[in-house]
Amino acid sequence: MVSNVNDMLAVNIAGIKMKTPVMTASGTFGFGLEYSDFVDLNQVGAIVVKGTTLAPKAGNSGRRMAETPAGMLNSIGLENPGVEEFIHTIMPRLAKYDVPVIVNISGNTVEEYGQLAARLDKTGVAGLEVNISCPNVKQGGIAFGTCPDSAAQVVREVKAKTTLPVIAKLSPNVTDIALMAKAVEAAGADAISLINTLLGMAIDIHTWRPVLGNIVGGFSGPAVKPVALRMVWQAANAVKVPVIGMGGIMTAADAVEFMLAGASAVAVGTANFVNPYAAVEVAGGIRDYLTERGLNQVSQLVGKVNCG
Amino acid sequence: MAKTCVLAQIIENSVIAGDVFKLIVTAPAIAGIARPGQFVHLRLTDQLDPLLRRPLSIADCHAANGTLTLIYRVVGRGTMLMTKLQPGDTVDCMGPLGNGFTLTGQRPLLVGGGMGLAPLVMLAKAFCSRPATILMGGRNEQELFWPNMYAGVCPNIHITTDDGSIGYRGFTIDVLPGLLEKEKFDVIYACGPHVMLQGVAAIAAKYKIPCQVSLEEYMACGVGACLSCTCAGTSGKRHKVCTDGPVFWAEEVAW
């Protein structure tokens, strides 16, 4: 029985112990250090760092961001300094904080995912999020994330090469999200996170050209929340492993919706760009909500939407 | 002191010319430490549309009374909403962000095009003891309200307009080589459209004069997390315009 007010937000996702259920979504919080002037990183549930690849990656050229009504499109293309730079330079600085660090990994081949998983073992990271769903890269993106067999293959390879908890991040750009969720669960995923960005596009009517250099990009922000919520609900009903819900969460009320839909934890993404304190404020708001409702543990919300 | 988010109160929000506005806000925590070339990131409303903050260069800064002056042109929904701000209203102001200009040299030349002239006001003031010369360009006379802003700060003002309605007819980069040959400037600071900065960088390299440029890019976070605003660097690495810049030495940028 948990009743201590300090414990009411604590969650354990596949062995990753978090002080609050509110994580930061990959690609939206840098390596966390970028926000350390604003936020006490010790108060964040978990930091999911930028998508990391074996070799450094320059990302896409041309314009990389476009604002849309209540949302944004990005086509960063996984720019990152590579796994060695992360391990040697960035992780030692993150290790000074009392916060689980989860590395989002991305490969061009199944083997590369395995190499990344092996390399990150015993480096102090708390878990791996397998990015089988980045819409902005030609290889290793949609090909893995939209086919149940290849998604499962990647997860199996990663599981074979690491002792760390493995979270499979699903793409929303599929017909049947429950099918994908079951496939990665069967392959051994310890948890599932969703959604990654939706594939989107914007066109400049003055030049008749696409706004983004990459033509298409990942659509995120509060505009995508209803889609994300529906998919989290469908996925959570299809699997037994914990689901981490994300997609347009700006407030505690948004987060509570995701938890009622079946998410055991949530991540804020685009909200960080607008409000650096979002992850901490959302957690505080969930605590207030629980208190008002007379609940003493955040897990009491999980999956409690009444569809009857 | 570090970068912070504060609720900044509007002191003044007035039209300077056409669709250009001057916004003065009280933000002591930022005004106390801001340097020329840095910027602030404004959140205008708690509504979700427009969603993102708006980056604005700091045109002037009074540490003593804690105010920042921002000059903006109405270009879209966000800046249109900004025009509605009234004295007494507040905006969420994040700053000071980015790296500013490096103040070196005894004979600085400032080159500004269009709204790129905004951050150079604060820079020119920083050079007061060794007055800066400024070369400014715009589309037409109506857009060239800037000499008023630089009056008493830059004793020598050179003007170009695209249509010749005031000053030399043409671009700043047409006039720049002649100025460099006539006077012994030892550093150039430039801010304006990309094509102008590219031209200034090439001319500065030709005349072997150190040159800093302030770049503008679409950005979301403003703190180096999202990587929306990166630009190619000559070292092979990409630079973050928001945190490595917006001010760069011209030779750092792969034009």
Side-chain angles (χ1 to χ4, degrees):
Chain A
M1 180 69 189
V2 180
S3 58
N4 186 329
V5 73
N6 291 320
D7 293 339
M8 68 196 298
L9 292 181
V11 294
N12 183 331
I13 303 293
I16 304 170
K17 290 179 186 159
M18 310 196 295
K19 281 175 259 180
T20 87
V22 187
M23 312 156 70
T24 58
S26 175
T28 65
F29 206 62
F31 291 100
L33 303 163
E34 293 87 342
Y35 278 104
S36 59
D37 279 330
F38 302 95
V39 186
D40 176 3
L41 299 180
N42 299 309
Q43 292 186 37
V44 176
I47 296 173
V48 185
V49 302
K50 268 205 68 61
T52 299
T53 51
L54 277 177
K57 203 164 161 60
N60 294 331
S61 57
R63 185 166 161 187
R64 289 175 160 195
M65 192 276 287
E67 191 169 1
T68 62
M72 63 178 278
L73 291 161
N74 85 79
S75 64
I76 311 301
L78 280 181
E79 177 176 342
N80 81 94
V83 71
E84 294 304 325
E85 173 82 0
F86 171 77
I87 290 169
H88 295 296
T89 310
I90 299 166
M91 190 57 203
R93 295 172 65 196
L94 277 171
K96 292 173 185 157
Y97 296 93
D98 178 25
V99 60
V101 174
I102 296 167
V103 182
N104 179 289
I105 57 171
S106 198
N108 289 322
T109 62
V110 171
E111 291 71 30
E112 279 188 19
Y113 280 98
Q115 288 166 8
L116 280 159
R119 188 68 191 88
L120 286 160
D121 228 24
K122 300 183 176 61
T123 55
V125 308
L128 301 177
E129 182 178 66
V130 185
N131 183 1
I132 48 169
S133 49
C134 182
N136 292 326
V137 284
K138 302 280 187 286
Q139 291 172 299
I142 279 178
F144 290 118
T146 55
C147 166
D149 288 345
S150 53
Q153 207 185 342
V154 172
V155 171
R156 264 197 304 273
E157 172 72 8
V158 170
K159 278 295 290 180
K161 296 287 163 60
T162 185
T163 55
L164 294 167
V166 172
I167 303 163
K169 186 164 184 177
L170 300 184
S171 167
N173 303 306
V174 295
T175 313
D176 187 347
I177 195 73
L179 191 69
M180 296 300 298
K182 283 181 189 167
V184 293
E185 181 188 47
D190 301 294
I192 293 172
S193 61
L194 71 163
I195 60 172
N196 206 323
T197 53
L198 287 148
L199 201 53
M201 185 177 183
I203 296 172
D204 184 331
I205 63 161
H206 303 292
T207 62
W208 293 21
R209 295 190 55 78
V211 173
L212 296 176
N214 195 47
I215 303 177
V216 296
F219 180 36
S220 66
V224 311
K225 197 190 90 180
V227 177
L229 195 60
R230 181 265 296 177
M231 288 193 157
V232 164
W233 176 69
Q234 288 178 326
N237 278 308
V239 297
K240 293 192 173 61
V241 294
V243 169
I244 302 164
M246 65 196 75
I249 295 175
M250 301 294 289
T251 64
D254 295 333
V256 168
E257 277 194 75
F258 274 87
M259 300 195 87
L260 292 172
S264 299
V266 295
V268 295
T270 303
N272 294 312
F273 301 152
V274 181
N275 174 16
Y277 311 98
V280 173
E281 287 181 4
V282 167
I286 295 172
R287 182 196 304 274
D288 293 345
Y289 177 83
L290 294 174
T291 305
E292 282 162 22
R293 290 245 154 192
L295 302 171
N296 55 27
Q297 228 294 329
V298 68
S299 60
Q300 291 171 295
L301 299 174
V302 179
K304 294 296 168 58
V305 61
N306 181 356
C307 297
Chain B
M1 291 287 281
K3 44 197 169 192
T4 180
C5 278
V6 296
L7 270 187
Q9 193 169 56
I10 312 298
I11 305 292
E12 180 188 333
N13 188 22
S14 55
V15 180
I16 300 181
D19 52 5
V20 180
F21 284 69
K22 178 164 77 173
L23 181 69
I24 302 178
V25 301
T26 303
I30 297 171
I33 55 172
R35 291 175 288 108
Q38 290 188 298
F39 68 98
V40 291
H41 215 14
L42 294 187
R43 187 181 184 191
L44 308 175
T45 152
D46 282 338
Q47 302 301 308
L48 300 179
D49 184 25
L51 179 67
L52 299 173
R53 290 171 178 268
R54 294 294 183 270
L56 288 172
S57 62
I58 301 171
D60 207 354
C61 166
H62 288 279
N65 55 12
T67 60
L68 299 170
T69 303
L70 313 168
I71 298 172
Y72 65 96
R73 184 200 297 277
V74 179
V75 290
R77 272 174 37 75
T79 39
M80 178 57 82
L81 272 174
M82 281 179 66
T83 67
K84 315 282 187 220
L85 292 168
Q86 299 288 327
D89 292 348
T90 54
V91 284
D92 185 326
C93 184
M94 181 195 259
L97 301 181
N99 285 311
F101 292 102
T102 306
L103 275 67
T104 57
Q106 296 303 310
R107 290 182 59 82
L109 173 66
L110 280 46
V111 184
M115 295 307 292
L117 283 154
L120 298 183
V121 177
M122 186 172 169
L123 178 67
K125 287 190 174 177
F127 271 119
C128 261
S129 58
R130 23 186 179 137
T133 297
I134 186 157
L135 167 60
M136 57 176 68
R139 279 178 296 195
N140 50 48
E141 184 175 11
Q142 198 227 353
E143 217 176 76
L144 259 290
F145 53 86
W146 294 101
N148 294 332
M149 313 230 37
Y150 285 90
V153 185
C154 286
N156 298 311
I157 298 177
H158 303 271
I159 296 172
T160 69
T161 47
D162 297 1
D163 64 358
S165 53
I166 180 173
Y168 176 88
R169 179 175 181 162
F171 302 126
T172 52
I173 51 174
D174 301 332
V175 173
L176 183 57
L179 268 181
L180 295 181
E181 278 172 19
K182 211 163 70 182
E183 300 189 46
K184 297 277 177 250
F185 296 110
D186 56 6
V187 60
I188 298 173
Y189 300 96
C191 186
H194 188 85
V195 63
M196 184 200 96
L197 297 181
Q198 196 174 11
V200 171
I203 294 165
K206 188 179 164 194
Y207 285 83
K208 297 186 169 52
I209 300 175
C211 174
Q212 285 201 314
V213 294
S214 176
L215 302 186
E216 186 179 38
E217 260 303 340
Y218 291 96
M219 62 178 67
C221 72
V223 297
C226 72
L227 307 186
S228 294
C229 66
T230 63
C231 71
T234 43
S235 67
K237 283 197 171 177
R238 295 187 71 86
H239 299 301
K240 301 175 188 179
V241 171
C242 62
T243 49
D244 297 329
V247 176
F248 295 94
W249 291 103
E251 64 268 21
E252 291 179 296
V253 179
W255 301 97

